[in-house]
Amino acid sequence: MQHESAAEPASPLAELVEEFLAARATRKPSAHTLAAYQRDLTLVLQQAVPAPLSPAGLSPRVLRAAFARFAADRAPASVARAWSSWNAFFTFLVTEGVVAGNPMSAVDKPRMVAHSPKPLRGEDTPEQLLRVVSQADERQRDPWPERDVLVLALALCAGLRLSELLGLRVGSVSGRDGERRVEVAGKGGRPRVVPIDGGLDAAVERYVASRRVRFGRVGKADPLLVDRHGAPLQRGGLQYLVRSCFRRAGIGDRVPRGAQLHALRHTFATRLAEDGANASEIMRLLGHASLATSQNYIEVTAEQQRAAIQSNRTNRVLRELG
């Protein structure tokens, strides 16, 4: 009797990639981040000649040639991200004792041009935006000003990224009176805590109360932001919501091209700087991995962070809306 042949076993290198991804998953990165790791590792590996079956076959010469082929028709940002993925992979292999050293130092990484901040233009634009959006627009199919104001306020007054907004739970906003904060799952799975002012806290409460009226009970583990049907807000829906708010407020010409929601985050950082926050406070609040290499990282106390948040002028209009 003839038996079916067993599936071909995975190569040691493929197994190590799976182990690396499993180790990264414990840091709770987004599904998008994990998929990017796997894609970067796989695509560069496909360019390696001869095809290596184990880390021993990934010499600096093989890696340099593979990255050269990979980079031929890709943007520098994509190549830099792939380099970082491979650097993380080899750091994992060194930690696990699989290889003696990380060969990525022998592979050139594209130099990235620093992007200048793109805040909303106009001295009072954030205030105008919040005031207009706080009023129900009867031209909308289902106006929900409390939800729309909260989305804008979390970016303008806490500096949250799009992915961070989508990851919030109702219980992410917590703390005693005077010490309220939002707990954020930041970029790369790095958690951070951002103190929030009373105005933003009130905006959260108004939104949650309006959501109970619409859909009933709201639990702490539920996604914070939902659409008009009560389903968790998705990336496309959130982007459309922000564009709609800009349009309703008539400030489309004051939004830097390509920035959209990120313009609100940049406005948060720019205003903190204008109101006296230092670079360490701003970078800590924004959740960046480190300061520029020319600056020393300064540990910022919770009290200093809270003072920086309270100095943010945009919080004032939220207090007025209550």
Side-chain angles (χ1 to χ4, degrees):
M1 180 176 175
Q2 201 173 22
H3 294 281
E4 290 182 4
S5 60
E8 184 178 336
S11 72
L13 192 54
E15 291 176 351
L16 288 168
V17 168
E18 291 302 319
E19 289 181 24
F20 165 71
L21 294 173
R24 283 276 150 167
T26 63
R27 302 186 182 190
K28 298 295 185 183
S30 68
H32 175 77
T33 298
L34 274 180
Y37 277 129
Q38 187 163 32
R39 184 170 59 251
D40 291 339
L41 294 173
T42 301
L43 292 176
V44 173
L45 198 55
Q46 290 173 351
Q47 302 295 332
V49 178
L53 297 177
S54 70
L58 289 168
S59 66
R61 176 179 294 178
V62 169
L63 283 167
R64 281 195 298 267
F67 264 88
R69 285 188 282 270
F70 174 81
D73 57 353
R74 289 178 171 86
S78 298
V79 181
R81 189 195 63 208
W83 189 98
S84 296
S85 295
W86 275 90
N87 189 54
F89 177 51
F90 270 108
T91 299
F92 166 77
L93 296 181
V94 170
T95 302
E96 293 294 305
V98 177
V99 297
N102 184 344
M104 291 306 295
S105 60
V107 181
D108 287 339
K109 181 181 180 181
R111 292 193 177 194
M112 301 302 297
V113 177
H115 295 289
S116 59
K118 296 180 178 179
L120 296 173
R121 292 185 287 267
E123 177 64 23
D124 299 322
T125 300
E127 290 72 29
Q128 178 182 336
L129 175 63
L130 287 170
R131 288 193 176 100
V132 170
V133 172
S134 70
Q135 305 300 315
D137 186 345
E138 299 306 327
R139 293 172 298 180
Q140 290 183 284
R141 180 166 45 184
D142 186 9
W144 195 354
E146 295 87 356
R147 191 272 314 270
D148 297 352
V149 165
L150 180 59
V151 167
L152 299 175
L154 285 167
L156 280 169
C157 299
L160 270 59
R161 301 176 175 93
L162 186 147
S163 60
E164 293 169 349
L165 287 169
L166 296 177
L168 291 176
R169 301 287 167 179
V170 174
S172 296
V173 180
S174 61
R176 298 177 297 180
D177 287 346
E179 298 180 2
R180 299 287 282 170
R181 61 190 181 271
V182 57
E183 297 177 8
V184 183
K187 193 172 184 179
R190 293 186 296 270
R192 73 179 186 278
V193 175
V194 182
I196 62 173
D197 183 76
L200 179 50
D201 192 28
V204 174
E205 292 182 0
R206 288 194 296 271
Y207 160 70
V208 173
S210 72
R211 179 170 160 183
R212 288 196 185 101
V213 171
R214 286 171 173 254
F215 307 115
R217 183 178 176 277
V218 179
K220 289 187 178 297
D222 295 339
L224 178 63
L225 300 175
V226 297
D227 63 22
R228 65 175 183 272
H229 302 295
L233 201 58
Q234 301 297 316
R235 176 175 292 265
L238 181 55
Q239 291 171 328
Y240 177 82
L241 186 157
V242 172
R243 288 195 300 270
S244 174
C245 290
F246 290 159
R247 186 170 58 252
R248 284 154 50 198
I251 63 163
D253 59 338
R254 304 182 215 172
V255 181
R257 185 171 181 175
Q260 300 298 319
L261 180 66
H262 224 61
L264 306 180
R265 175 174 157 87
H266 285 179
T267 301
F268 167 75
T270 300
R271 286 198 155 187
L272 285 175
E274 292 173 350
D275 291 334
N278 64 38
S280 296
E281 292 165 339
I282 294 169
M283 292 300 180
R284 183 73 175 256
L285 290 166
L286 288 173
H288 288 168
S290 64
L291 293 170
T293 53
S294 60
Q295 297 174 306
N296 293 322
Y297 186 82
I298 302 172
E299 186 67 24
V300 183
T301 66
E303 182 179 353
Q304 288 172 314
Q305 291 183 41
R306 187 165 299 281
I309 286 289
Q310 290 171 343
S311 71
N312 187 348
R313 298 192 300 275
T314 316
N315 275 309
R316 298 174 194 168
V317 72
L318 288 173
R319 291 193 285 267
E320 292 172 13
L321 295 177

